[in-house]
């Protein structure tokens, strides 16, 4: 057990200062190679609690590494989750300020808005769909605090899974209006196609990814609440962007979501 009192505070301070000072840092497992995934989730919880103490509010969760491609890239077999805070919410009509971010990348995702509380250790895809009020196209902006976006699973979990900003499109549809697994998506940067994918990339079905996360949260005595937003995980690889860029993700039947970076 590496995570003694004092060490946990030190690591959380280290991660928070990197974000605040917009500066990349050496990954924490370089100094603490023994840290376990469970300890990483404890660190993540402490980091979120610190932000809450400073006035932030959780508005939902995000899933990461839900696609086989991303899991293979990382050499892992499991997805991860982190928390969304109100201060991460960005809007289509308000440019994202590049200078507040270290080395941001954009990911096309499907957002779920929960219409009911949902908790349990055996939640199914079907139950997730039934508890979902709307789905919408979304873009997550990830911004790992670690140098060159290089990390182990433990590092990224402690860093709240690289969360930085997210944008949800203005068109919301009920889940039964669309076949989420077969939804096609094209994401472009400055008018040129950057990446294409389909909903099935996310653990076979984006709602299955959400079910997985609820089961995990329940192990910790948590769950989803009515009104929570869930980002179900990137459908393709993430695309780097900088000042002056515009990113648009266009989903079949779901419409599009976009943002510009100033
Ligand atoms: C980790 C976060 C990945 C996703 O949707 O897969 C993620 C990272 O790649 O930095 O948010
Ligand atoms: Mg993501």
């Amino acid at each position: 057990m590496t995570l003694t009192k004092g060490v946990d505070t030190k690591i959380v301070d280290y991660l928070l200062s990197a974000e605040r000072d917009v500066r990349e840092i050496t990954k924490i497992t370089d100094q603490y190679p023994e840290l376990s995934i469970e300890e990483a989730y404890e660190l993540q919880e402490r980091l979120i609690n610190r932000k809450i103490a400073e006035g932030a509010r959780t508005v939902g969760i995000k899933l990461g590494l839900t696609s086989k491609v991303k899991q293979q890239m990382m050499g892992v077999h499991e997805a991860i989750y982190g928390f969304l805070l109100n201060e991460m919410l960005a809007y289509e009509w308000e440019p994202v300020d590049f200078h507040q971010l270290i080395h941001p990348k954009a990911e096309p995702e499907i957002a779920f808005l929960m219409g009911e509380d949902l908790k349990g250790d055996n939640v199914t895809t079907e139950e997730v769909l039934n508890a979902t009020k709307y789905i919408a196209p979304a873009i997550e902006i990830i911004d790992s605090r670690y140098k060159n976006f290089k990390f182990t699973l433990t590092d990224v979990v402690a860093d709240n899974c690289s969360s930085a900003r997210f944008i949800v499109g203005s068109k919301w549809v009920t889940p039964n209006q669309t076949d989420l697994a077969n939804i096609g998506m094209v994401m472009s940067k400055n008018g040129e196609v950057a990446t294409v994918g389909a909903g099935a990339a996310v653990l076979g079905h984006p709602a299955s990814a959400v079910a997985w996360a609820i089961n995990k949260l329940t192990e910790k005595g948590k769950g989803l609440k009515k009104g929570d937003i869930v980002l179900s995980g990137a459908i393709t690889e993430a695309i780097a962007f900088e000042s002056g860029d515009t990113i648009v993700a266009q989903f079949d039947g779901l419409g599009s979501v976009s943002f510009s970076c100033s």
Side-chain angles (χ1 to χ4, degrees), residues 1 45 48 64 66 73-74 138 146-147 156 181 197 200 234 238 241 244:
M1 182 93 177
E45 191 171 349
I48 295 297
T66 47
M73 268 168 58
M74 289 280 305
Y146 302 119
K147 221 167 248 168
V156 70
F241 63 88

Side-chain angles (χ1 to χ4, degrees), residues 44-120:
Q44 185 197 91
E45 191 171 349
R46 275 165 223 200
L47 184 135
I48 295 297
N49 284 342
R50 280 276 288 279
K51 293 197 175 206
I52 291 172
E54 288 162 14
R57 227 169 4 92
T58 57
V59 295
I61 62 162
K62 61 143 300 172
L63 279 73
L65 312 182
T66 47
S67 69
K68 272 275 161 292
V69 189
K70 269 208 141 177
Q71 290 185 5
Q72 270 159 9
M73 268 168 58
M74 289 280 305
V76 298
H77 306 286
E78 217 181 50
I80 51 177
Y81 68 85
F83 287 88
L84 297 175
L85 299 171
N86 58 333
E87 60 198 26
M88 296 174 187
L89 191 55
Y91 302 96
E92 292 197 282
W93 57 86
E94 195 174 69
V96 168
D97 184 0
F98 184 71
H99 305 287
Q100 291 179 3
L101 299 163
I102 306 165
H103 42 205
K105 296 183 184 182
E107 301 178 319
E109 306 211 8
I110 292 169
F112 287 66
L113 181 81
M114 303 311 294
E116 294 166 27
D117 293 1
L118 194 56
K119 206 175 164 173

Side-chain angles (χ1 to χ4, degrees), residues 127-205:
E127 285 172 309
V128 168
L129 290 171
N130 289 338
T132 300
K133 190 161 185 190
Y134 297 115
I135 52 171
I139 296 175
E140 178 176 32
I141 297 174
I142 51 172
D143 193 30
S144 172
R145 268 48 72 171
Y146 302 119
K147 221 167 248 168
N148 302 323
F149 249 97
K150 292 267 186 301
F151 41 70
T152 67
L153 201 61
T154 309
D155 291 300
V156 70
V157 165
D159 186 30
N160 194 29
C161 306
S162 311
S163 307
R165 302 279 188 282
F166 67 100
I167 301 113
V168 182
S170 50
K171 187 177 169 203
W172 297 72
V173 305
T174 56
N176 56 12
Q177 272 175 273
T178 176
D179 177 7
L180 275 183
N182 291 313
I183 231 169
M185 187 291 311
V186 178
M187 189 161 82
S188 57
K189 181 162 93 174
N190 306 327
E192 283 184 26
V193 173
T195 172
V196 297
V202 182
L203 290 178
H205 193 297

Side-chain angles (χ1 to χ4, degrees), residues 208-221:
S208 306
V210 180
W212 172 85
I214 294 171
N215 296 331
K216 282 281 166 196
L217 282 172
T218 304
E219 285 174 18
K220 300 208 171 268

